[in-house]
Amino acid sequence: MAQVSSVVYNNKRKLWVPLPLHGFVVAVAVLLLCFAPINVSAAARQQSPPLQLSQKLRFDRTGEFKILQVADMHYADGKTTPCLNVLPSQVHGCSDLNTSAFIQRMIDAEKPNLIVFTGDNIFGFEAKDSAKSLNAAFAPAIAAGIPWAAVMGNHDQEGTLSREGVMKHIVGLKHTLSQFNPSEAHIIDGFGNYNLEVGGVEGSGFANKSVLNLYFLDSGDYSTVPSIPGYGWIKLSQQLWFQRTSAKLQRAYMRPPMAKKSFAPGLMYFHIPLPEFGSFDASNFSGVRQEGISSASINSGFFTTMVEAGDVKAVFTGHDHLNDFCGQMTGIQLCYAGGFGYHAYGKAGWSRRARVVVASLEKTDEGGWGAVKSIKTWKRLDDEHLTAIDGQVLWSKHLTPEL
């Protein structure tokens, strides 16, 4: 136990680096690979079960909507699962329960309207019973009665449940808004592709409009194409669903009543970062980059798809635990959360952390609440004071055309 903190335990399995693509032939091959399925079964195409939470997500009376992002818990068996890469003084008694305690601290401090778990929620390989591990991992959110949503990473399915089984279990838990897959998509790759709408303040003119759109995608686990090494990627079927969903939401937003001239902002959540996350250095991001960008070894073009859609203002991922930066590219903020879980690899002396995002509404001339005016973020460290760091504005209406 005393040597745990000095062991370089990389339970993300970084065994590859992105491969450059050249030439027309390769470009065509990449397009074709977008059709490669991620073990999609017939059951995956069935309609999602109805949501358990009857209330609609909406902005509160203060004109804010707050999201807590929890990335890479790597939960296993609770008290018997040791912490990784912590200081020698922290090793004794440190376990998965420290991860649960951190979630509770964040809930108490931030009082989020929604909690989003962005994959590798459990470390399936070391979980004796995946269902029990999932129950324990999400227990603080469930006990608090706060709406929550989850996507999968590349380790969730490595235990006693398949990838399909993990998502089916998640959507059956209390207070979750997670969905197995969209009912309108008859064919879609992966498990856990869905969107959530956030309405305006109750009683306001925007109460029945989605003024903030949240998208969740399954970024896969590992490539299923033998000639392509590395991690999975967001497939063409998922991109087509996103394009159609985004367009439908924007048409509704721009229709009366309270018709707007442009798009409602959107936020995107998935696990594995896009290759574009590697476009930044210390001169053009906020936060830290302490390891490589472990994206898929091909680029399926999803970043361009989001740019073309026009509504996504920020993307939030996990996967690379020692990175916690945000960088803007072509009008979209690309953000890591930083490692949250104590059984996930980390860096001794570098605190586990969580990302908070707050969208704020503008005041109308009549004194009511209108559309979203800004989206801000910060991180909190699991230290003595739950220190808040790296506060920044991700998007502001005043820097874009009139909404």
Side-chain angles (χ1 to χ4, degrees):
M1 285 285 286
Q3 297 179 350
V4 170
S5 62
S6 63
V7 175
V8 180
Y9 187 98
N10 190 336
N11 52 11
K12 189 176 61 188
R13 298 180 183 172
K14 285 188 177 179
L15 303 177
W16 41 76
V17 295
L19 303 177
L21 298 177
H22 301 285
F24 174 77
V25 174
V26 176
V28 173
V30 169
L31 178 60
L32 292 174
L33 283 169
C34 289
F35 290 93
I38 312 175
N39 297 323
V40 183
S41 68
R45 299 165 185 157
Q46 294 175 358
Q47 181 170 334
S48 301
L51 300 185
Q52 293 184 358
L53 232 59
S54 59
Q55 71 263 37
K56 176 182 174 66
L57 289 178
R58 64 171 66 256
F59 281 74
D60 61 28
R61 294 290 183 181
T62 67
E64 291 189 342
F65 188 84
K66 183 181 290 187
I67 302 171
L68 166 62
Q69 181 189 0
V70 176
D72 298 273
M73 290 188 289
H74 282 233
Y75 206 96
D77 292 327
K79 189 176 181 179
T80 61
T81 300
C83 297
L84 301 176
N85 307 121
V86 295
L87 294 170
S89 60
Q90 297 174 308
V91 171
H92 181 70
C94 192
S95 72
D96 279 337
L97 301 187
N98 290 65
T99 301
S100 300
F102 185 21
I103 297 176
Q104 190 60 56
R105 292 186 77 196
M106 289 300 301
I107 290 172
D108 293 342
E110 293 288 0
K111 297 176 176 56
N113 301 100
L114 177 70
I115 303 174
V116 177
F117 298 91
T118 49
D120 282 0
N121 307 297
I122 63 171
F123 189 51
F125 184 74
E126 294 186 4
K128 294 177 182 177
D129 185 319
S130 292
K132 290 182 179 179
S133 293
L134 288 165
N135 294 346
F138 300 125
I142 294 171
I146 296 172
W148 60 276
V151 294
M152 289 187 292
N154 54 295
H155 287 308
D156 293 284
Q157 78 292 338
E158 294 175 337
T160 58
L161 290 174
S162 67
R163 199 164 182 81
E164 180 180 347
V166 168
M167 203 64 212
K168 282 184 175 179
H169 187 82
I170 288 173
V171 301
L173 295 175
K174 290 181 178 180
H175 306 306
T176 189
L177 297 178
S178 307
Q179 298 176 45
F180 188 71
N181 264 335
S183 58
E184 71 276 11
H186 299 293
I187 298 177
I188 190 166
D189 289 282
F191 310 98
N193 303 289
Y194 57 102
N195 69 288
L196 297 174
E197 302 176 17
V198 185
V201 175
E202 190 170 8
S204 72
F206 289 90
N208 296 318
K209 273 188 181 286
S210 180
V211 297
L212 179 68
N213 295 310
L214 309 178
Y215 302 100
F216 305 84
L217 289 175
D218 180 4
S219 54
D221 49 6
Y222 303 100
S223 171
T224 57
V225 182
S227 59
I228 303 296
Y231 294 110
W233 55 89
I234 294 171
K235 303 294 177 59
L236 183 59
S237 64
Q238 297 168 287
Q239 298 187 44
L240 290 173
W241 169 80
F242 161 70
Q243 287 176 313
R244 292 166 182 162
T245 303
S246 172
K248 179 183 69 175
L249 290 168
Q250 300 320 321
R251 286 194 299 270
Y253 187 69
M254 297 169 74
R255 286 197 299 262
M258 308 300 291
K260 305 301 288 184
K261 298 178 181 179
S262 189
F263 298 162
L267 305 177
M268 179 73 68
Y269 290 90
F270 50 84
H271 181 70
I272 297 174
L274 300 174
E276 285 80 3
F277 274 71
S279 303
F280 307 107
D281 57 39
S283 69
N284 58 6
F285 67 64
S286 173
V288 299
R289 175 177 172 174
Q290 302 178 110
E291 60 176 316
I293 310 301
S294 295
S295 60
S297 59
I298 65 165
N299 192 328
S300 68
F302 184 52
F303 181 81
T304 300
T305 298
M306 289 188 291
V307 172
E308 290 175 342
D311 62 331
V312 174
K313 306 306 178 187
V315 175
F316 302 96
T317 68
H319 194 54
D320 298 322
H321 308 176
L322 301 182
N323 295 337
D324 72 352
F325 66 80
C326 282
Q328 187 182 71
M329 182 177 180
T330 323
I332 298 178
Q333 295 278 355
L334 302 178
C335 297
Y336 280 107
F340 189 101
Y342 279 87
H343 188 52
Y345 77 85
K347 182 179 179 181
W350 194 69
S351 298
R352 265 60 174 185
R353 57 203 57 214
R355 181 171 290 282
V356 179
V357 173
V358 175
S360 301
L361 301 178
E362 64 183 353
K363 276 282 191 179
T364 65
D365 293 338
E366 296 76 25
W369 294 110
V372 176
K373 68 174 181 180
S374 67
I375 301 172
K376 301 176 182 178
T377 188
W378 59 87
K379 300 183 292 284
R380 282 195 183 269
L381 310 182
D382 192 23
D383 58 14
E384 180 182 358
H385 302 291
L386 212 61
T387 305
I389 62 170
D390 295 336
Q392 66 180 108
V393 176
L394 294 176
W395 174 82
S396 172
K397 174 186 175 180
H398 300 295
L399 300 178
T400 59
E402 178 68 24
L403 292 179

